[in-house]
Amino acid sequence: MDNGQAATRTLGDPIVECEGVKKWFGDFQALKGVTATVKEREVVVIIGPSGSGKSTWIRCINRLEAHQEGSIIVDGTELTNDIKNIEKIRSEVGMVFQQFNLFPHLTVLDNITLAPQWVRKQPKDEAEEYAMELLERVGIPDQALKYPGQLSGGQQQRVAIARSLAMKPRIMLFDEPTSALDPEMIKEVLDVMKELALGGMTMMVVTHEMGFAREVADRVFFFDYGTIVEEGTPEHFFTNPQHDRTKLFLSQIL
Amino acid sequence: MTVQVREQTKTPLWRNATVLKWTAQLVVLASVLGLFALLASEALKNFEASDISFGWDWLSDPTGVAIREGIDTSPDSGARAMLVGIVNTLRVAISGIIVATILGTIIGVGRLSSNWIINKLATIYIETIRNIPLLVQIFFWNALAIGLPSLTNEDLGEYWFKASNKGFAMAWVFPDGGFWPWLTFVLVGLAVGMFVAKKRRKYQEDTGNPGHGGRYLAGIILVFAIIGWFAAPLLSFLDPVFTGIGDLIESIPAVVIPIIIAVVAIVSAGLWIRGFFESRRTPAGFGKMTDDDWFRVIFAGLAGVVVAILGFVIGGFEIETVSGEVMSIAELIRLGISNFFQWLGASFDTEGYRTVVEGVRSGGPLVFEKPVVELVGAGIPQYGKTGMVITIPFFAIWTGVTIYTAAFIAEIVRGGILAVSKGQTEAAMALGLRRSRYLRFVILPQAFRIILPPLGNQYLNLAKNTSLGLAVAFADIVAVGSTIINQTGQSFPVVLVWMAFFLTVSLTISAIVNYYNRKMMLVER
């Protein structure tokens, strides 16, 4: 297994540290004590059956869901009820959603410049210049003045990635970014994500794209019943899984 | 050598889709017009047979209608009486729409609140109000207010606020003699302020520093208002200007009025048709017009010509005014426009500015008045002429329609906010936008698009429901009209005026709502 791309990156200090994170929805326990550390410039792919808590976990990292026990420290700031900490972390953690969640009433350009202007207080022309640079990077500068409804799914997801990058985040969270896409559009989004990984972005990716996991990930986490059942390099994971549940899951999807 | 030309089979007329479509359009148009003509002629015949006169004399005849409240409590003609009713109806409708929107929005948002008490209170409000018939609620408010104590000799005096079974009297600010010159200053301030605020917004966008556009706007208006308060008499030179325009208009021949109407009608029809052709033009060339498109073009042209002709026909009608003069409609319109300018001139008149009106109001742009209770006529305690007096009927109908409509608006607002997907909030939060920002830039603009069409419906309902004022003897257009019917027996023409009025109001509301709706539409593929 060629893991050359990941090897070119040198990992830095821990940037996301989770310790015994627990979360309940009513009387259903979604997270049963997740302990994990993600290092700077690391690409972590999280897989697992649906309902296993993998999405809930990464949504806890920018506080879209509040965890109830344990601690989450992002870039040295602990996530608590303190609104100031939450705002700081959210502006440093970008997130890409399964359903894109672009703002349909704003043009592509305005979608991207909204947060830099109002959170980072960037001047409009500066924000627009950087937005165009990002659109160039994700390959759709010609769509800048269109509305999201006029774009294909793949293009929308690339705009969503550009929108997150506009905040110059230190970590990017991807919550099943290709699950709502037609098969022929998955590749264009994965290519953008690969490029991002090569550029040294810290990424946590929930996905069912095993090819992406094999090719790009530094580490793979396997989630089941609210905990990390097994973790390791893609090589270890796909060729020599240890745990029965991992084996069962892989046999079902591969 | 002969070339065999394959003859194209000709479609018979009865199977030709184009012909059929045109025929259908024309048949529908003709039968609708025909049906109306038939009904009208039958009605006229029946009126004649049953000796019911049908006419418009009641509009200009002196009338004995006394109206309890309004701009004129003893109007000199039927038309004037109807005008008083119209103003009363519009007062309820417009202020009701504004208050119902604010109240409804607050309650709608309250129903989404995570605060248990607020949430439950909003729910109780909505479920109670919308499940009781409006007429019952109007009677309820009426009964509640009538149950207040009556005015006695012990109540004589001046008040900030006084409630009794004669209505609610409160201190209020009224426009006074110098109001219009002062308002001119304020409006100029508004224009300047908006210009500066726009510059500040651009500054904020360009540099990222806060522009404080709103504060600049408020400050500039305030400065202009203060200067205008003292400098208002400076505008008195506008008096001769406007009066001159009024005199000039009165001197032009009356025939110019229908000519202007005709020109406007034909030009606007022409512009519409040109715009329509433009909208069908694509970069590739002129798009193919469908039959419907041609129908629209022809109809627009016809409508323009018909309005132009009607302008001349109706403009030539002669009627007798209250003072016994015979004037054509065109002359009346000319007189009206001229009078408007004369009135405008008088508003800027320094004399008017300084003259104390009716011995009650002082000079100055605005006057603050407190209500008094005084003995009127045969020693009965009544509210005096000062201050704002809200009568019981006005209170009952206004409170009734406002509270009722607010309950429906609340549900619409709640639905609109809920209809914006949760993903939008999450995406905005994930970008680090704080609550006030994402509500302003992401949620509300999208909720507004969803809310607008049903909100327009509620506005229409409110405007139409004001006619229930009849039940509590509120002097709206329906009540005044009923009185006129009783006095003159002219039921059909009065009903026509009612219908024309409510149609105009409703279509105006519709047009405004549709305009915003089109402007806010989402662009999609």
Side-chain angles (χ1 to χ4, degrees):
Chain A
M1 183 111 337
D2 175 33
N3 214 8
Q5 290 176 341
T8 59
R9 294 190 301 267
T10 43
L11 305 186
D13 300 328
I15 190 165
V16 177
E17 296 157 274
C18 294
E19 182 69 48
V21 175
K22 293 182 185 169
K23 162 87 187 163
W24 286 263
F25 290 110
D27 54 4
F28 171 72
Q29 188 172 7
L31 298 178
K32 296 176 180 166
V34 178
T35 303
T37 303
V38 177
K39 292 191 175 121
E40 228 175 317
R41 290 187 289 281
E42 190 173 23
V43 176
V44 170
V45 168
I46 301 139
I47 60 173
S50 56
S52 60
K54 52 192 194 305
S55 284
T56 308
W57 181 46
I58 70 164
R59 285 162 60 86
C60 280
I61 285 164
N62 65 352
R63 196 80 173 185
L64 287 186
E65 306 286 355
H67 62 285
Q68 286 139 342
E69 273 178 36
S71 75
I72 300 177
I73 298 172
V74 181
D75 199 15
T77 311
E78 173 154 17
L79 266 177
T80 55
N81 273 334
D82 188 340
I83 296 174
K84 203 165 172 195
N85 282 356
I86 295 173
E87 269 175 19
K88 177 173 176 289
I89 286 172
R90 279 183 182 160
S91 65
E92 282 178 16
V93 179
M95 185 158 199
V96 176
F97 299 84
Q98 182 178 354
Q99 299 296 341
F100 329 134
N101 292 344
L102 292 177
F103 307 135
H105 60 300
L106 300 178
T107 61
V108 164
L109 196 61
D110 290 340
N111 260 281
I112 301 176
T113 56
L114 181 69
Q117 276 189 75
W118 290 99
V119 181
R120 291 259 189 267
K121 312 280 180 209
Q122 262 184 32
K124 192 179 186 183
D125 43 356
E126 203 177 289
E128 283 184 350
E129 210 172 295
Y130 188 54
M132 288 311 297
E133 213 173 281
L134 288 169
L135 283 176
E136 203 91 43
R137 246 168 90 185
V138 300
I140 39 174
D142 49 332
Q143 312 286 351
L145 295 179
K146 288 200 181 162
Y147 286 86
Q150 297 169 297
L151 305 184
S152 73
Q155 290 172 327
Q156 289 194 44
Q157 192 62 298
R158 285 188 277 163
V159 172
I161 294 173
R163 179 176 69 174
S164 287
L165 291 177
M167 289 292 288
K168 301 186 175 146
R170 305 203 50 204
I171 307 164
M172 285 285 284
L173 308 175
F174 292 85
D175 189 1
E176 306 203 21
T178 56
S179 298
L181 294 177
D182 293 337
E184 76 269 23
M185 293 170 182
I186 292 179
K187 189 176 172 299
E188 62 188 53
V189 172
L190 290 182
D191 285 346
V192 169
M193 290 167 62
K194 275 180 210 167
E195 204 137 307
L196 207 56
L198 279 178
M201 175 64 76
T202 312
M203 289 164 64
M204 298 175 69
V205 186
V206 173
T207 187
H208 296 296
E209 295 295 323
M210 295 304 149
F212 178 82
R214 257 183 229 190
E215 203 182 325
V216 185
D218 294 298
R219 262 192 304 162
V220 177
F221 289 3
F222 176 67
F223 250 78
D224 205 4
Y225 296 112
T227 48
I228 298 174
V229 174
E230 188 164 355
E231 65 158 283
T233 62
E235 194 171 348
H236 155 84
F237 199 81
F238 289 108
T239 55
N240 188 22
Q242 298 299 310
H243 210 284
D244 284 347
R245 273 190 283 171
T246 321
K247 284 178 192 161
L248 180 67
F249 178 71
L250 287 174
S251 74
Q252 280 165 343
I253 58 158
L254 289 179
Chain B
M1 202 168 71
T2 55
V3 180
Q4 193 85 29
V5 179
R6 190 161 167 264
E7 213 175 306
Q8 204 182 353
T9 37
K10 213 161 169 357
T11 322
L13 273 185
W14 62 89
R15 264 170 34 204
N16 185 325
T18 315
V19 174
L20 287 179
K21 205 168 171 184
W22 275 89
T23 318
Q25 302 257 35
L26 293 175
V27 166
V28 169
L29 187 65
S31 39
V32 169
L33 289 180
L35 190 66
F36 269 109
L38 185 73
L39 284 178
S41 75
E42 278 302 306
L44 281 179
K45 229 184 286 171
N46 289 341
F47 282 137
E48 262 164 43
S50 62
D51 226 23
I52 298 177
S53 61
F54 175 88
W56 299 95
D57 291 340
W58 57 273
L59 279 174
S60 55
D61 282 348
T63 170
V65 180
I67 300 178
R68 277 177 66 180
E69 63 181 306
I71 49 172
D72 187 351
T73 46
S74 48
D76 57 1
S77 66
R80 178 88 184 154
M82 288 301 258
L83 181 70
V84 177
I86 284 173
V87 172
N88 281 343
T89 299
L90 289 178
R91 270 169 63 193
V92 174
I94 293 170
S95 61
I97 282 174
I98 293 169
V99 176
T101 307
I102 297 168
L103 188 63
T105 309
I106 293 171
I107 293 166
V109 174
R111 214 180 165 187
L112 289 173
S113 167
S114 52
N115 181 324
W116 191 85
I117 294 179
I118 292 176
N119 187 321
K120 284 291 165 272
L121 282 178
T123 309
I124 291 170
Y125 174 95
I126 290 167
E127 292 305 338
T128 314
I129 297 299
R130 70 172 181 177
N131 287 311
I132 298 174
L134 176 55
L135 189 57
V136 174
Q137 292 187 41
I138 292 170
F139 281 134
F140 168 79
W141 295 114
N142 194 49
L144 199 70
I146 280 179
L148 288 167
S150 51
L151 292 173
T152 63
N153 284 340
E154 278 142 44
D155 293 321
L156 297 179
E158 203 181 42
Y159 293 92
W160 282 93
F161 177 82
K162 176 77 183 162
S164 76
N165 65 359
K166 291 277 191 291
F168 304 88
M170 59 189 91
W172 201 256
V173 174
F174 292 93
D176 206 348
F179 180 71
W180 293 102
W182 177 72
L183 188 69
T184 311
F185 270 92
V186 174
L187 288 179
V188 171
L190 178 71
V192 174
M194 299 234 297
F195 179 76
V196 173
K198 211 171 143 193
K199 287 264 178 249
R200 298 300 301 177
R201 252 202 312 280
K202 193 158 181 325
Y203 167 81
Q204 179 167 4
E205 281 179 354
D206 289 346
T207 64
N209 297 329
H212 300 305
R215 288 183 212 175
Y216 272 85
L217 177 63
I220 288 169
I221 292 177
L222 190 69
V223 167
F224 270 85
I226 292 170
I227 294 175
W229 193 277
F230 300 104
L234 289 180
L235 291 180
S236 60
F237 71 91
L238 286 172
D239 171 19
V241 175
F242 284 127
T243 315
I245 294 175
D247 291 342
L248 193 71
I249 287 172
E250 203 155 11
S251 67
I252 57 173
V255 73
V256 173
I257 301 286
I259 289 177
I260 291 173
I261 293 174
V263 168
V264 168
I266 287 170
V267 166
S268 46
L271 284 178
W272 189 89
I273 291 171
R274 209 182 72 169
F276 187 75
F277 277 129
E278 285 298 319
S279 74
R280 287 295 180 275
R281 199 187 293 281
T282 58
F286 199 71
K288 186 101 180 89
M289 298 274 282
T290 64
D291 294 326
D292 273 352
D293 290 344
W294 283 116
F295 196 76
R296 276 179 225 169
V297 167
I298 291 169
F299 195 80
L302 270 179
V305 173
V306 168
V307 170
I309 293 171
L310 277 183
F312 281 100
V313 174
I314 295 178
F317 282 165
E318 295 198 328
I319 60 164
E320 199 180 342
T321 61
V322 184
S323 48
E325 260 180 293
V326 176
M327 288 177 101
S328 72
I329 300 273
E331 281 171 322
L332 265 181
I333 294 174
R334 185 185 61 182
L335 182 66
I337 298 173
S338 157
N339 280 350
F340 171 74
F341 279 101
Q342 305 279 7
W343 169 82
L344 211 56
S347 305
F348 285 97
D349 180 11
T350 342
E351 288 299 308
Y353 181 68
R354 299 208 185 287
T355 313
V356 175
V357 183
E358 281 181 20
V360 178
R361 310 219 161 133
S362 64
L366 296 172
V367 61
F368 176 79
E369 288 174 0
K370 282 158 82 174
V372 292
V373 177
E374 60 192 14
L375 293 174
V376 177
I380 307 158
Q382 284 279 16
Y383 292 124
K385 282 189 171 161
T386 55
M388 169 80 97
V389 178
I390 293 169
T391 62
I392 301 293
F394 186 96
F395 167 78
I397 181 70
W398 186 87
T399 316
V401 293
T402 305
I403 299 238
Y404 183 74
T405 311
F408 289 89
I409 290 178
E411 284 295 83
I412 291 167
V413 169
R414 180 174 78 112
I417 292 176
L418 284 180
V420 179
S421 80
K422 205 162 168 266
Q424 293 288 310
T425 316
E426 290 185 346
M429 289 198 306
L431 286 166
L433 288 163
R434 62 175 60 142
R435 191 180 151 81
S436 57
R437 296 267 160 75
Y438 71 70
L439 277 179
R440 176 172 153 206
F441 294 114
V442 178
I443 306 302
L444 288 181
Q446 293 186 63
F448 190 59
R449 291 179 164 79
I450 302 164
I451 290 168
L452 202 55
L455 196 62
N457 274 341
Q458 291 309 322
Y459 290 167
L460 292 178
N461 280 344
L462 191 151
K464 289 181 289 181
N465 283 339
T466 56
S467 59
L468 288 172
L470 188 65
V472 287
F474 175 63
D476 69 337
I477 182 174
V478 180
V480 173
S482 305
T483 315
I484 291 175
I485 292 175
N486 286 340
Q487 289 187 351
T488 64
Q490 292 286 0
S491 57
F492 196 63
V494 172
V495 173
L496 280 184
V497 173
W498 285 344
M499 284 165 43
F501 168 72
F502 280 108
L503 202 60
T504 311
V505 171
S506 299
L507 289 178
T508 309
I509 295 174
S510 285
I512 295 171
V513 171
N514 285 341
Y515 169 76
Y516 278 105
N517 205 17
R518 259 203 311 281
K519 245 179 79 163
M520 308 285 288
M521 223 150 36
L522 282 185
V523 181
E524 284 185 19
R525 237 180 310 193

